[in-house]
Amino acid sequence: SQQGEEDPQALSIQEGENATMNCSYKTSINNLQWYRQNSGRGLVHLILIRSNEREKHSGRLRVTLDTSKKSSSLLITASRAADTASYFCATDGWDSSYKLIFGSGTRLLVRP
Amino acid sequence: GAVVSQHPSWVICKSGTSVKIECRSLDFQATTMFWYRQFPKQSLMLMATSNEGSKATYEQGVEKDKFLINHASLTLSTLTVTSAHPEDSSFYICSARRLAGEEQFFGPGTRLTVL
C-alpha cells in the first residue's frame, strides 16, 4: 500500500529555478527518505531525515519535515537539466521492519 | 560501497513460463532484502520482505505462490515469477539493508515483459 501522496504530480521549470516537491504521509514514522529515479532506472538515495529532525541540507537539496502535519518537502535549488527525474518520498515506520512505503512521486522536468 | 545488482536487467518471456530474477549485494552482507514492483509512471509498491534463512513476508494482496522468494545467503535473494501472464509485466526492483543499517540500497531493476 502507498503511504501517501506527493504533489505536484508533475513539475516543469526552467534551468536555474528552484523546484519544490511535497510529500504527505499517514502514520507515525521513524524517518523519511527522498529518492530520485531516472526513467526506467533504479533508485538513488538522496537524503534521510529522522522524525526528531526538522530540516536537513545536502548540497543543493533541502528537506523539511513537519511531523505534526505529517508532511515533508524537498527543495532543489538552482536546478539543472540533469535534475530531470522522478522524485519519491518513502517512510520508514516504527515497527522495526525497515519496510519503506513510497509516495506517489513527482515527475520533474527541468528545461534547458 | 553498498552496491546492489540485479540479473537479468530485462527479460521477455512467453505466457505460462517462470522467470527468476536475482538480487545480489556485491560488497556487503544484506540481512534483509525487499522486492518492489513498479508499473509505468507509478510508484514502487512493496511486494515482500526477505530475511536470510527464513520465509519471506508478503504484503497484502501479493500471492506468495506466484511470487516465490528465496533468500539463501546474506548476499543473494531471488524472486521467481511462476506461470507468468501479461499482467505480470512490470519493473521489478530489489533493495538490500545491512544489519543495523537504516538505509536501503536499490538495485537497477529488472524489466519483465510477458507476451
Side-chain angles (χ1 to χ4, degrees):
Chain A
S1 62
Q2 278 183 275
Q3 168 70 288
E5 296 298 317
E6 288 181 55
D7 78 271
Q9 289 187 347
L11 179 61
S12 179
I13 59 174
Q14 201 71 36
E15 201 164 31
E17 295 180 338
N18 296 341
T20 300
M21 289 159 263
N22 302 295
C23 165
S24 62
Y25 57 92
K26 297 174 183 173
T27 60
S28 296
I29 62 170
N30 180 36
N31 65 63
L32 185 145
Q33 303 176 38
W34 284 91
Y35 288 85
R36 164 199 167 118
Q37 183 182 36
N38 286 78
S39 181
R41 307 288 292 274
L43 273 71
V44 175
H45 183 265
L46 296 176
I47 199 164
L48 180 153
I49 186 166
R50 293 189 172 81
S51 60
N52 62 351
E53 297 176 312
R54 291 297 166 257
E55 189 170 312
K56 210 160 181 181
H57 297 254
S58 176
R60 293 185 294 114
L61 306 180
R62 173 177 166 254
V63 168
T64 62
L65 178 64
D66 186 336
T67 52
S68 66
K69 295 182 179 177
K70 291 187 168 60
S71 68
S72 174
S73 68
L74 169 67
L75 168 68
I76 304 174
T77 60
S79 64
R80 305 166 182 166
D83 294 329
T84 294
S86 291
Y87 292 82
F88 295 94
C89 66
T91 53
D92 181 350
W94 280 106
D95 62 0
S96 301
S97 70
Y98 299 100
K99 293 194 296 188
L100 288 180
I101 306 299
F102 281 81
S104 51
T106 294
R107 292 192 306 279
L108 173 66
L109 171 65
V110 182
R111 305 187 304 274
Chain B
V3 177
V4 176
S5 71
Q6 279 184 244
H7 178 79
S9 55
W10 60 270
V11 56
I12 301 173
C13 68
K14 291 182 179 180
S15 189
T17 60
S18 294
V19 175
K20 181 185 281 188
I21 302 170
E22 292 185 349
C23 176
R24 291 182 186 273
S25 56
L26 297 185
D27 51 4
F28 68 99
Q29 292 186 326
T31 51
T32 307
M33 289 182 169
F34 302 87
W35 287 96
Y36 298 83
R37 181 167 52 182
Q38 184 180 32
F39 292 107
K41 296 188 178 180
Q42 293 189 23
S43 186
L44 279 74
M45 299 295 289
L46 179 65
M47 299 175 67
T49 302
S50 166
N51 289 298
E52 186 265 337
S54 62
K55 289 184 179 180
T57 304
Y58 291 81
E59 294 300 301
Q60 193 172 9
V62 178
E63 300 174 57
K64 61 180 69 176
D65 293 332
K66 174 143 185 84
F67 299 100
L68 301 178
I69 291 172
N70 184 283
H71 193 158
S73 76
L74 285 171
T75 59
L76 173 65
S77 176
T78 60
L79 168 68
T80 302
V81 183
T82 63
S83 187
H85 288 96
E87 57 266 30
D88 298 323
S89 297
S90 188
F91 194 52
Y92 291 87
I93 305 176
C94 73
S95 69
R97 188 186 70 85
R98 286 188 181 105
L99 181 65
E102 287 180 303
E103 189 176 339
Q104 289 185 27
F105 302 96
F106 283 79
T110 296
R111 184 158 306 282
L112 170 64
T113 303
V114 185
L115 302 176

